[in-house]
Amino acid sequence: MNKNRPVNLDLTTIKLPITGFASFFHRVSGIFLFAGAAVLLWMLDSSLDSQESFAAVRDASANPVFKVVLWAVLSALAYHTVMGLRHLMMDCGVGESLEGGKRGATIAFAVAIVLIALIGVWVW
Protein backbone atom coordinates (compact mmCIF):
# COMPACT_ATOMS: atom_id res chain seq x y z
CA MET A 1 0.00 0.00 0.00
CA ASN A 2 1.28 3.44 -0.92
CA LYS A 3 1.68 5.46 2.29
CA ASN A 4 2.38 8.70 0.40
CA ARG A 5 -1.02 8.88 -1.29
CA PRO A 6 -3.11 11.98 -0.58
CA VAL A 7 -5.74 11.57 2.10
CA ASN A 8 -8.60 14.05 2.38
CA LEU A 9 -10.52 13.54 5.60
CA ASP A 10 -12.07 17.04 5.66
CA LEU A 11 -15.49 16.46 4.10
CA THR A 12 -16.16 20.19 3.81
CA THR A 13 -13.46 20.56 1.15
CA ILE A 14 -14.85 17.89 -1.17
CA LYS A 15 -16.72 19.45 -4.11
CA LEU A 16 -19.40 17.02 -5.27
CA PRO A 17 -21.26 17.56 -8.54
CA ILE A 18 -25.05 17.68 -8.46
CA THR A 19 -25.17 14.01 -9.43
CA GLY A 20 -23.10 13.18 -6.35
CA PHE A 21 -25.52 15.06 -4.10
CA ALA A 22 -28.48 13.32 -5.75
CA SER A 23 -26.91 9.92 -5.17
CA PHE A 24 -25.88 10.69 -1.58
CA PHE A 25 -29.31 12.00 -0.56
CA HIS A 26 -31.00 9.09 -2.33
CA ARG A 27 -29.11 6.71 -0.07
CA VAL A 28 -29.79 8.81 3.03
CA SER A 29 -33.51 8.97 2.23
CA GLY A 30 -33.55 5.18 1.82
CA ILE A 31 -32.01 4.69 5.25
CA PHE A 32 -34.45 7.20 6.75
CA LEU A 33 -37.37 5.43 5.07
CA PHE A 34 -36.34 2.14 6.64
CA ALA A 35 -36.96 3.68 10.07
CA GLY A 36 -39.82 5.89 8.94
CA ALA A 37 -41.77 2.94 7.61
CA ALA A 38 -42.30 1.91 11.22
CA VAL A 39 -44.15 5.19 11.85
CA LEU A 40 -46.39 4.70 8.83
CA LEU A 41 -47.08 1.06 9.70
CA TRP A 42 -47.90 1.99 13.30
CA MET A 43 -50.36 4.60 12.06
CA LEU A 44 -51.99 2.09 9.72
CA ASP A 45 -52.15 -0.66 12.32
CA SER A 46 -53.54 1.64 15.00
CA SER A 47 -56.09 3.25 12.74
CA LEU A 48 -57.47 -0.13 11.63
CA ASP A 49 -57.64 -1.64 15.12
CA SER A 50 -60.78 0.06 16.44
CA GLN A 51 -62.71 3.31 16.35
CA GLU A 52 -61.03 4.44 19.56
CA SER A 53 -57.54 3.79 18.24
CA PHE A 54 -58.45 5.55 14.98
CA ALA A 55 -59.53 8.56 17.03
CA ALA A 56 -56.27 8.37 18.99
CA VAL A 57 -54.21 8.43 15.78
CA ARG A 58 -56.32 11.31 14.45
CA ASP A 59 -55.80 13.23 17.70
CA ALA A 60 -52.07 12.49 17.71
CA SER A 61 -51.79 13.74 14.15
CA ALA A 62 -52.89 17.19 15.34
CA ASN A 63 -49.67 17.51 17.37
CA PRO A 64 -47.09 19.72 15.55
CA VAL A 65 -44.21 17.35 16.41
CA PHE A 66 -46.14 14.45 14.92
CA LYS A 67 -46.82 16.53 11.80
CA VAL A 68 -43.12 17.27 11.40
CA VAL A 69 -42.25 13.57 11.70
CA LEU A 70 -44.98 12.63 9.22
CA TRP A 71 -43.87 15.35 6.81
CA ALA A 72 -40.24 14.18 7.07
CA VAL A 73 -41.13 10.54 6.37
CA LEU A 74 -43.41 11.40 3.45
CA SER A 75 -40.82 13.84 2.08
CA ALA A 76 -38.16 11.14 2.19
CA LEU A 77 -40.56 8.81 0.40
CA ALA A 78 -41.23 11.41 -2.32
CA TYR A 79 -37.52 12.20 -2.79
CA HIS A 80 -36.53 8.54 -2.85
CA THR A 81 -39.26 7.76 -5.39
CA VAL A 82 -38.28 10.61 -7.72
CA MET A 83 -34.60 9.69 -7.59
CA GLY A 84 -35.45 6.01 -8.00
CA LEU A 85 -37.41 6.83 -11.15
CA ARG A 86 -34.41 8.82 -12.38
CA HIS A 87 -32.20 5.78 -11.85
CA LEU A 88 -34.69 3.56 -13.68
CA MET A 89 -34.69 5.95 -16.62
CA MET A 90 -30.89 5.88 -16.68
CA ASP A 91 -31.02 2.07 -16.65
CA CYS A 92 -33.17 2.32 -19.79
CA GLY A 93 -30.52 4.45 -21.49
CA VAL A 94 -32.01 7.93 -20.93
CA GLY A 95 -29.58 10.50 -19.55
CA GLU A 96 -26.51 8.29 -19.31
CA SER A 97 -24.09 10.94 -20.54
CA LEU A 98 -22.39 13.38 -18.19
CA GLU A 99 -24.56 16.28 -19.38
CA GLY A 100 -27.70 14.12 -19.33
CA GLY A 101 -26.95 12.98 -15.80
CA LYS A 102 -26.54 16.57 -14.61
CA ARG A 103 -29.73 17.66 -16.35
CA GLY A 104 -31.64 14.66 -14.99
CA ALA A 105 -30.44 15.31 -11.45
CA THR A 106 -31.45 18.97 -11.71
CA ILE A 107 -34.92 18.08 -12.99
CA ALA A 108 -35.32 15.38 -10.34
CA PHE A 109 -34.32 17.82 -7.59
CA ALA A 110 -36.87 20.35 -8.88
CA VAL A 111 -39.64 17.74 -8.99
CA ALA A 112 -38.73 16.50 -5.51
CA ILE A 113 -38.80 20.03 -4.08
CA VAL A 114 -42.26 20.64 -5.56
CA LEU A 115 -43.54 17.33 -4.18
CA ILE A 116 -42.06 18.03 -0.74
CA ALA A 117 -43.74 21.45 -0.69
CA LEU A 118 -47.08 19.89 -1.71
CA ILE A 119 -46.72 17.28 1.04
CA GLY A 120 -46.11 20.09 3.53
CA VAL A 121 -49.29 21.83 2.41
CA TRP A 122 -51.21 18.55 2.64
CA VAL A 123 -49.91 17.68 6.13
CA TRP A 124 -50.64 21.13 7.51
Side-chain angles (χ1 to χ4, degrees), residues 55-77:
V57 170
R58 186 184 63 222
D59 294 341
S61 65
N63 185 347
V65 174
F66 189 84
K67 285 185 177 188
V68 169
V69 170
L70 182 62
W71 174 76
V73 172
L74 293 176
S75 296
L77 179 63

Side-chain angles (χ1 to χ4, degrees), residues 3-65:
K3 299 210 182 236
N4 294 328
R5 66 183 182 157
V7 177
N8 186 1
L9 298 178
D10 186 8
L11 297 179
T12 61
T13 62
I14 297 174
K15 305 293 185 221
L16 285 176
I18 191 166
T19 54
F21 282 110
S23 178
F24 174 76
F25 288 122
H26 183 250
R27 292 174 186 193
V28 170
S29 68
I31 293 168
F32 186 74
L33 277 176
F34 184 75
V39 173
L40 297 177
L41 288 173
W42 168 80
M43 287 176 59
L44 178 65
D45 181 51
S46 295
S47 68
L48 295 176
D49 194 30
S50 67
Q51 287 183 351
E52 293 81 19
S53 62
F54 177 80
V57 170
R58 186 184 63 222
D59 294 341
S61 65
N63 185 347
V65 174

Side-chain angles (χ1 to χ4, degrees), residues 74-90:
L74 293 176
S75 296
L77 179 63
Y79 180 84
H80 198 75
T81 301
V82 169
M83 291 301 164
L85 290 173
R86 175 181 167 262
H87 281 291
L88 286 174
M89 289 176 60
M90 290 177 69

